[in-house]
Amino acid sequence: MSVAGPLHFVVLLGSLRRGSYNAAVARALPALAPAGVTIEPLGSIGDFPIYSGDVEAEGIPAPVAAMGEAIAKADGVIVVTPEYNYSIPGGLKNAIDWLSRLKPNPFLDKPVALESASVGMLGGARAQYHLRQTFVMLEACVFNKPEVFVAQANQKIDAATGALTDPPARDIIAKQLAGFGAFARAHKHAAVTS
Ligand code: FNR
């Protein structure tokens, strides 16, 4: 099933590190996207305060509201993140927790794709599986396969340019984006016709 028209995806980055391998993966996405798909970064999760009900009671912080609006307008979200201690990095979980407080929840029924890069052998798989669990609560529509795990990322990203140069990694990302594009299109079509 397909519907005509462009798709717009936004990228939620789980690392704040200068020289982040995940940021390198995120930068590679626009060039690997299929025709008709644009991909743009969201704001930084580093601009969010640590979640507290007391801070929320004073009002939703502006960076949270802005990111929620960008997600709500997008046809899909691509989360690109490291794995910390076999799970979701605290900063990313904090951002998702904040975003989940918006009304309506911007992830509700939203197509979401997951990618991770790590210096380890599993490429951040465990963080992705914890994200899948969280997105069940948020009623997002998480894309299944192909999965993107950029293992031993330090060997796949050019240290001088910060470019993701590894052909198999670029290939699997392009395949995922093609599949995610079709998934998001079918989702949009179903929403329009229901
Ligand atoms: C890590 N790292 C890591 N890697 C992994 O594959 N599994 C893990 O559980 C962890 N745990 C972990 C905890 C903490 C606190 C840090 C700082 C790091 C290593 C991680 O893959 C590596 O630092 C990546 O380079 C982080 O991604 P960015 O910042 O380069 O995008």
Side-chain angles (χ1 to χ4, degrees), residues 15 17 20-22 82-86 118-120 126:
S15 174
R17 190 173 75 83
S20 159
Y21 299 130
N22 285 278
E83 168 179 293
Y84 284 174
N85 297 310
Y86 288 10
S118 140
V119 294
R126 291 160 293 214

